[in-house]
Amino acid sequence: MVQKTVLKVDISCQKCKTKVLKAVSALEGVDTIEADQGKGTLTVTGNADPYEIILRTRKTGKHAEVVSIGPPPAPPKQDGQKKAEEKKPQEKKTEQKALIYDPCTCPKCQPVLLMPMPTAVPVGLCDEPNPSCSIM
């Protein structure tokens, strides 16, 4: 039975989105996956078990909250609408959307630098008062 599962997931960057999509797409019975970053929703349609979808999403480190589980919407009838659209002259809409590129990822995806790594000191360049004395 084909089901539509809608989950609320925090998808704040592209890296998070691809991680969640890869995890869910590996499930058996998934037909389509849609991730909306603006709304923060993940929509999965197919025969996959909703419980398994939630588990896979949570394994990626994202909190998943169920919005709805149910049958997918019926495909719209295009017979009557298609004829009406063909009769109307089509106007070209020149609507440009601003593309925003954010190279920064979310704080969870960024690597954490706790301490800088110490640099190695060359052996022959010590500032000891008596360089001939060495401990081995």
Side-chain angles (χ1 to χ4, degrees):
M1 183 170 136
V2 179
Q3 290 183 343
K4 178 181 174 183
T5 306
V6 181
L7 303 175
K8 184 170 181 141
V9 182
D10 180 31
I11 306 172
S12 54
C13 68
Q14 188 65 30
K15 188 174 180 181
C16 297
K17 182 178 177 179
T18 54
K19 191 187 298 187
V20 170
L21 288 176
K22 280 184 181 181
V24 174
S25 65
L27 286 172
E28 187 177 331
V30 173
D31 293 335
T32 60
I33 305 170
E34 298 173 11
D36 188 5
Q37 287 181 336
K39 294 179 183 176
T41 59
L42 178 74
T43 306
V44 181
T45 307
N47 291 330
D49 185 21
Y51 181 74
E52 291 295 324
I53 296 170
I54 295 166
L55 282 180
R56 286 288 177 107
T57 306
R58 289 186 178 167
K59 280 185 180 179
T60 61
K62 299 292 177 184
H63 177 73
E65 184 179 324
V66 178
V67 176
S68 68
I69 299 174
K77 296 180 181 177
Q78 296 180 358
D79 294 335
Q81 293 175 357
K82 204 172 197 182
K83 291 178 183 177
E85 288 178 0
E86 289 177 23
K87 293 178 183 177
K88 294 180 184 178
Q90 295 181 356
E91 298 177 11
K92 293 183 179 179
K93 295 181 181 179
T94 56
E95 188 175 313
Q96 295 181 355
K97 295 182 180 178
L99 297 176
I100 299 172
Y101 176 71
D102 187 13
C104 299
T105 58
C106 66
K108 290 183 180 179
C109 294
Q110 289 180 348
V112 178
L113 262 178
L114 298 177
M115 279 182 58
M117 297 296 292
T119 58
V121 178
V123 175
L125 301 175
C126 295
D127 292 333
E128 294 182 12
N130 193 2
S132 62
C133 179
S134 63
I135 300 173
M136 293 208 185

